[in-house]
Amino acid sequence: MPWRTHSNQNQITSDDDDDDMMPRYTCGKTLKIVFGASYALMVFLVIKHQFRAYPGVKPRSVYEDDLRSPSLGADRAPPSHGRSRDEMLGNRLGYDDGGVDNIRVNGGVRESTRMKIQTTNEEDAVWDKLLVGPAKSPSKSNSSSGQPGKGVYISPKLPDYRPTDISDLFIGVKTTGAYHSSRVQLILDTWHSFAPEQIYFFTDVKDPVYEEKTNGHMVNTDCPDTHKLTALACKTSSIFTMFEKIKDKRWLCHVDDDNYLNVPELLRFLNHFDHHQELFFGRESINYRTLAIDRDTNETYRFWFATGGGGVCFSKPLTYRMMKYTSKGKLAKTAEKIGRPDDITIGFIVEILLGKSLTRVRKFNSHIQKMSDIPTRDLIKQITLSYCLNDRRELGPNVIDFRPIMKDDPTRFKSFHCTYYRKFGGMCPYD
Ligand code: UDP
Ligand code: MN
């Protein structure tokens, strides 16, 4: 089945002509004014059109220009891990409030089934915008729905309703032996204390020191300790396998070891959704469906995926249906089949094989994005944050815009954590 191509809606051809035309008119002031006004109107319409073509898109940032700059050269570009150039360019969506894309408030239904959780009026107003109609299930075909997931339906008031709490979560962190003392340690020093029982680290070595520090929550996956597609998919597969064994959790969330997972915000977010439904939350890298080719059949597929480096969450019913393609090493096989990394493979599984949709959530942030673009006052509203200390595109660190309140905090995660969540523990100064 042919898939829709994206016309270049930003292409504007009339600008140059108009530039040429303007000076040619010498016939009086009125005509000049009329032409001046038309020109201004045209520029205005052109700009408006560009922004409508990609809602929420900001003008190209210096960051993106740096990435495109030939002076950086291909050899200096960050590793692509099987990603296209556009995927590496990152998500261009803004940070305006809300957080879930393609919001369509489902008026009457929303009001009658609105789940009440304890929030402030201000939070209520923000969350109101997040309540959306039921996801339209795309039929099983080579293309997922042209639009990303329309989000989900809110929890009905079931008689046995109980809000999601920390014990309902399973949090898998992907790591590797070489990062235990740096990245894993930073997690232990910060957000680990939100949910020490729920967090498991999926690694590739036996490490008695961190076994002890995490109270036995280091899982040696026996996967290769490399950054290859199949090695990472092997590790992510182990996360699914363990979730299947644990059984009593509502949500599976998976993050990388360079994420800060704001668990209180995650819980607040998840509490607006019905965990009985098949839901997949994350943030897309690119503003259109990616493409993958099945190497066995040569079939081409287009679908949405969420960047693994920004964290993703799945409801239990969806996770269970995914098991067929993910657990016990099967994710690596599926990844090999389409030759794409684990996160893209997950998008393929959810959208193409299972006919469900990604719900795009702008509260998940990978370091593909420029961290300092998130307004400092909005950091606390993010579900995940990330960092890259040697961002080649930035020629320096890509970290959140947060004032350090202690030394030895290059990622700023300790300062952020201690400022907002001191009571949850952490390596905070003057404790
Ligand atoms: N990782 C891994 N094995 C490796 C390298 C990285 O399991 O050999 C994990 C790492 O711990 C992290 C994820 O893969 O959770 C992504 O790695 P990284 O942040 O270094 O690279 P990125 O893909 O974000 O550029
Ligand atoms: Mn990373």
Side-chain angles (χ1 to χ4, degrees), residues 81 174-176 183 225-227 232 235 256-258 367:
H81 309 316
K174 193 157 61 190
T175 189
T176 183
R183 297 183 182 195
D225 61 346
T226 67
H227 201 286
L232 297 186
K235 246 173 231 173
D256 278 356
D257 57 6
D258 51 0
H367 60 70

Side-chain angles (χ1 to χ4, degrees), residues 121-361:
N121 285 345
E122 193 192 340
E123 277 171 340
D124 267 352
V126 172
W127 284 111
D128 267 348
K129 293 188 195 165
L130 301 183
L131 304 181
V132 289
K136 185 172 158 277
S137 294
S139 55
K140 204 170 170 183
S141 74
N142 284 12
S143 281
S144 65
S145 152
Q147 291 299 312
K150 285 280 192 313
V152 288
Y153 184 64
I154 39 171
S155 297
K157 280 183 181 160
L158 297 170
D160 59 349
Y161 168 73
R162 175 180 68 73
T164 292
D165 64 35
I166 285 179
S167 68
D168 297 311
L169 305 183
F170 177 79
I171 301 167
V173 183
K174 193 157 61 190
T175 189
T176 183
Y179 292 152
H180 290 182
S181 58
S182 50
R183 297 183 182 195
V184 172
Q185 186 58 51
L186 178 60
I187 293 175
L188 295 182
D189 290 345
T190 54
W191 62 271
H192 181 257
S193 45
F194 288 132
E197 296 306 313
Q198 282 64 49
I199 300 168
Y200 284 82
F201 295 92
F202 291 79
T203 189
D204 39 37
V205 286
K206 206 165 162 35
D207 184 341
V209 173
Y210 279 84
E211 277 284 320
E212 196 180 326
K213 286 187 178 197
T214 60
N215 199 18
H217 283 215
M218 300 297 287
V219 181
N220 183 3
T221 58
D222 287 325
C223 296
D225 61 346
T226 67
H227 201 286
K228 288 193 178 141
L229 307 191
T230 45
L232 297 186
C234 169
K235 246 173 231 173
T236 308
S237 171
S238 303
I239 298 178
F240 280 87
T241 310
M242 184 146 175
F243 185 81
E244 199 172 20
K245 280 191 201 136
I246 287 185
K247 288 197 164 52
D248 67 334
K249 305 291 177 194
R250 290 182 179 180
W251 299 96
L252 164 61
C253 293
H254 164 224
V255 294
D256 278 356
D257 57 6
D258 51 0
N259 283 135
Y260 180 98
L261 179 60
N262 185 346
V263 180
E265 191 59 30
L266 173 67
L267 278 177
R268 229 191 315 271
F269 175 81
L270 293 177
N271 253 315
H272 285 81
F273 300 96
D274 181 357
H275 64 275
H276 298 99
Q277 299 196 19
E278 295 185 327
L279 303 174
F280 171 27
F281 298 122
R283 184 175 183 156
E284 77 286 9
S285 301
I286 45 174
N287 208 11
Y288 54 84
R289 290 169 299 161
T290 194
L291 185 143
I293 301 169
D294 184 326
R295 288 177 166 176
D296 298 331
T297 63
N298 247 357
E299 292 251 24
T300 306
Y301 299 93
R302 287 186 71 92
F303 52 90
W304 294 95
F305 79 96
T307 313
V312 284
C313 290
F314 312 90
S315 64
K316 181 176 179 172
L318 179 61
T319 314
Y320 271 46
R321 276 222 296 143
M322 292 170 75
M323 291 299 176
K324 193 169 148 190
Y325 307 103
T326 54
S327 69
K328 299 177 186 154
K330 280 171 286 195
L331 185 64
K333 289 203 175 68
T334 318
E336 262 181 307
K337 201 170 151 60
I338 60 167
R340 307 303 301 273
D342 54 351
D343 51 359
I344 297 186
T345 307
I346 282 172
F348 173 72
I349 293 169
V350 172
E351 296 231 330
I352 301 296
L353 301 182
L354 302 179
K356 288 289 165 183
S357 301
L358 163 69
T359 299
R360 305 190 298 177
V361 185

